[in-house]
Amino acid sequence: MKRGCWRWPANWRAAACGALRCKARAVRPAPRPARDQGDVRIGTVHSGVAMALAKAAKDSDTTLIVTNAGANAITGPLCGPGIFRTSFTNWQPAYAMGPVAVAKGHKTAVTITWKYAAGDEAIGGFKDGFEKAGGKVVNELSLPPIWCSRSSPAAAP
């Protein structure tokens, strides 16, 4: 295989799409191993992992410092007294764009995103900021995750 020409195998896409259609299962964190007796946890980049860590930290009264995972729920419904965020939520940067768009004279907007948690949360932030500043989101479009589809009518010119 030539360098730079790598592609996901076709069977990976089918497996990933099938997994997305599975019923959601509750995350049950594994018990803390004996070697892992630290009082503070720090990380992670992946929002799904960080949400599992947040649940475990809240249940075990352990301090968790979230350095990069953007899922809103970590410092929302999953938050506990020992959970801290040092970065952002998916909602925050998009919210700030809403008032700027209105200030530049835009009165209506159509949003488009990949259909997954971070995309939905970012669009929600933009919509909140845009409409609070006086704009109106007239349509919200979403694309299936890129690993499930090569094309979508919403992305057509």
Side-chain angles (χ1 to χ4, degrees), residues 13-29:
R13 180 174 286 135
C17 292
L20 290 173
R21 288 189 283 272
C22 292
K23 290 183 180 177
R25 295 188 178 110
V27 177
R28 291 188 183 161

Side-chain angles (χ1 to χ4, degrees), residues 19-82:
L20 290 173
R21 288 189 283 272
C22 292
K23 290 183 180 177
R25 295 188 178 110
V27 177
R28 291 188 183 161
R32 186 187 301 185
R35 71 175 198 288
D36 189 15
Q37 296 300 318
D39 295 325
V40 176
R41 304 284 181 267
I42 186 166
T44 177
V45 172
H46 191 282
S47 289
V49 174
M51 288 195 298
L53 289 173
K55 181 177 181 342
K58 185 176 181 179
D59 293 348
S60 66
D61 197 29
T62 302
T63 299
L64 172 65
I65 302 170
V66 180
T67 57
N68 194 47
N72 297 346
I74 297 166
T75 48
L78 293 176
C79 196

Side-chain angles (χ1 to χ4, degrees), residues 10 12 18 33 38 41 47-48 52 55 67 70 82 88 98 117-118 125-126 138 151 153 155 157:
W12 179 87
R41 304 284 181 267
S47 289
K55 181 177 181 342
T67 57
F88 64 96
F126 174 79
V138 295
S151 63

Side-chain angles (χ1 to χ4, degrees):
M1 182 180 296
K2 292 181 184 176
R3 192 175 245 183
C5 296
W6 187 85
R7 294 183 186 185
W8 288 104
N11 60 347
W12 179 87
R13 180 174 286 135
C17 292
L20 290 173
R21 288 189 283 272
C22 292
K23 290 183 180 177
R25 295 188 178 110
V27 177
R28 291 188 183 161
R32 186 187 301 185
R35 71 175 198 288
D36 189 15
Q37 296 300 318
D39 295 325
V40 176
R41 304 284 181 267
I42 186 166
T44 177
V45 172
H46 191 282
S47 289
V49 174
M51 288 195 298
L53 289 173
K55 181 177 181 342
K58 185 176 181 179
D59 293 348
S60 66
D61 197 29
T62 302
T63 299
L64 172 65
I65 302 170
V66 180
T67 57
N68 194 47
N72 297 346
I74 297 166
T75 48
L78 293 176
C79 196
I83 299 174
F84 303 92
R85 182 187 297 275
T86 62
S87 62
F88 64 96
T89 67
N90 295 323
W91 180 92
Q92 286 173 312
Y95 178 86
M97 290 186 288
V100 171
V102 171
K104 289 189 175 264
H106 301 288
K107 298 189 183 326
T108 59
V110 174
T111 62
I112 186 166
T113 185
W114 300 112
K115 185 69 179 158
Y116 75 118
D120 291 342
E121 291 172 356
I123 292 300
F126 174 79
K127 184 177 179 180
D128 289 350
F130 189 68
E131 292 186 345
K132 185 176 181 182
K136 172 121 177 93
V137 173
V138 295
N139 199 359
E140 296 178 49
L141 305 173
S142 62
L143 300 166
I146 193 163
W147 54 85
C148 289
S149 175
R150 293 186 187 265
S151 63
S152 171

